Amino acid sequence: MTTAEASIAPLANERSRPTVCVLIPVWKDQDGLTRTLSTLAEDPCPFDIVVVDDGSPTPIACEGKAGDHPITLLRLPQNQGIEHALNAGLAVILERGYRFISRLDCGDVPFEGRISRQASHLEAHPRVGIVGTWARCVDDAGAYLFTLRLPADHAGIVRRQRYVTALLHPTVMIRADALREVGLYSDRYKTAEDHELFIRIGQSYELANIPEELTEYIISTKGTTTLKRRRTLVSRFRLLRDTFDPSDPHAWLGLGRTVALMAVPFSLVTAVKQRVWR
């Protein structure tokens, strides 16, 4: 498919729609998308895939299927940022009636069983709005850096989110009904759109992480985490300020930590994580 209009057409009625749809935004990363789709092609769990090309100068290409999984390719006419790309994909997914949305970024790899286990978790826990996983973090060459271990329970996640997001965006599966209730991604907090959405969903639903490495996550020297780090910290500060609870000591500590990190090089932060989190 080559146009947005073609991409948002409903799937053929003759096939039953699965419960899960995988949402992948992409901008100028054909190789990363190909790697992720190749992994998804081997997953026996039933799901569909929506890829959103966020105005790449050279249009992204992909086959109509990854293994047995149909792919919808949605092309946006110009680059507007990840939150707009995600919302464009979510509009398609919600219209088609999928129950759960699995998030992945280009180049990242879900390990065997991740998607089916997250779907089963949401089925078994109807008050959980989002479930993430731990992540095996690697560099651009695939070398192991550290394991990101996040709180598994709602209380621990809410507490940690006073400092930093406690759900890693490319590991999460989101309940579609939660998005229908609280709304989609906001563009008020550039590069912290995921943190803001997770806080908002956590006010109406429980949040959870499966405490196992079920995703390989690339910490790229070319990625948003590195190149837009200061913008991310400024957006995080604004978000923590706008959701500030003066009675919570973690709210005070979270603001202070964010300000302090603005003076610390990202390379030093990564080096400390490699030493402490291996």
Side-chain angles (χ1 to χ4, degrees):
M1 297 180 180
T2 58
T3 67
E5 290 77 12
S7 297
I8 63 175
L11 296 179
N13 291 330
E14 61 265 17
R15 64 180 289 270
S16 61
R17 186 169 292 125
T19 298
V20 176
C21 187
V22 178
L23 174 59
I24 308 173
V26 56
W27 185 61
K28 300 198 305 184
D29 191 3
Q30 181 70 62
D31 290 344
L33 177 64
T34 300
R35 178 174 187 253
T36 299
L37 291 178
S38 295
T39 303
L40 291 174
E42 313 227 342
D43 194 326
C45 177
F47 55 80
D48 293 342
I49 302 169
V50 168
V51 174
V52 184
D53 180 0
D54 189 15
S56 299
T58 300
I60 293 296
C62 62
E63 301 293 332
K65 279 191 170 186
D68 293 330
H69 311 294
I71 300 174
T72 294
L73 176 58
L74 174 63
R75 300 192 195 280
L76 303 186
Q78 61 186 23
N79 179 260
Q80 299 183 69
I82 188 171
E83 66 276 7
H84 293 280
L86 290 170
N87 284 343
L90 287 174
V92 175
I93 290 169
L94 295 178
E95 179 183 354
R96 289 179 175 171
Y98 299 98
R99 294 181 58 206
F100 307 133
I101 301 99
S102 180
R103 273 283 291 113
L104 277 172
D105 283 340
C106 289
D108 295 336
V109 172
F111 292 156
E112 183 177 355
R114 173 194 141 178
I115 293 175
S116 61
R117 288 185 62 184
Q118 287 182 297
S120 295
H121 189 95
L122 292 177
E123 291 277 12
H125 302 88
R127 289 309 307 159
V128 172
I130 310 175
V131 58
T133 77
W134 288 359
R136 182 181 190 273
C137 299
V138 300
D139 64 16
D140 288 301
Y144 173 74
L145 295 173
F146 54 83
T147 297
L148 183 58
R149 299 175 176 89
L150 298 164
D153 64 297
H154 177 76
I157 291 171
V158 169
R159 181 171 58 252
R160 183 182 173 96
Q161 290 204 138
R162 287 298 187 186
Y163 300 86
V164 64
T165 182
L167 294 146
L168 183 61
H169 202 185
T171 76
V172 300
M173 183 176 286
I174 306 174
R175 188 181 298 276
D177 282 347
L179 292 172
R180 292 189 178 95
E181 180 174 336
V182 310
L184 306 184
Y185 291 90
S186 169
D187 62 1
R188 294 182 58 203
Y189 305 96
K190 296 291 186 181
T191 69
E193 73 289 327
D194 54 340
H195 195 174
E196 188 276 337
L197 179 65
F198 301 159
I199 289 175
R200 198 160 14 109
I201 290 179
Q203 293 169 348
S204 300
Y205 288 82
E206 294 180 8
L207 309 174
N209 278 305
I210 297 174
E212 295 178 39
E213 288 184 12
L214 292 176
T215 308
E216 183 174 274
Y217 173 63
I218 298 175
I219 297 182
S220 174
T221 56
K222 304 182 290 292
T224 297
T225 302
T226 303
L227 299 181
K228 298 181 180 178
R229 180 169 177 264
R230 183 167 182 82
R231 180 194 293 181
T232 299
L233 290 171
V234 170
S235 291
R236 184 189 301 165
F237 179 87
R238 290 177 51 241
L239 174 60
L240 296 178
R241 178 198 64 194
D242 293 348
T243 58
F244 186 73
D245 178 0
S247 67
D248 184 351
H250 294 287
W252 294 94
L253 292 170
L255 283 175
R257 177 183 182 275
T258 301
V259 171
L261 282 173
M262 292 180 186
V264 179
F266 182 70
S267 58
L268 177 58
V269 174
T270 301
V272 170
K273 289 177 179 178
Q274 282 184 261
R275 182 175 293 273
V276 174
W277 290 358
R278 275 187 176 271

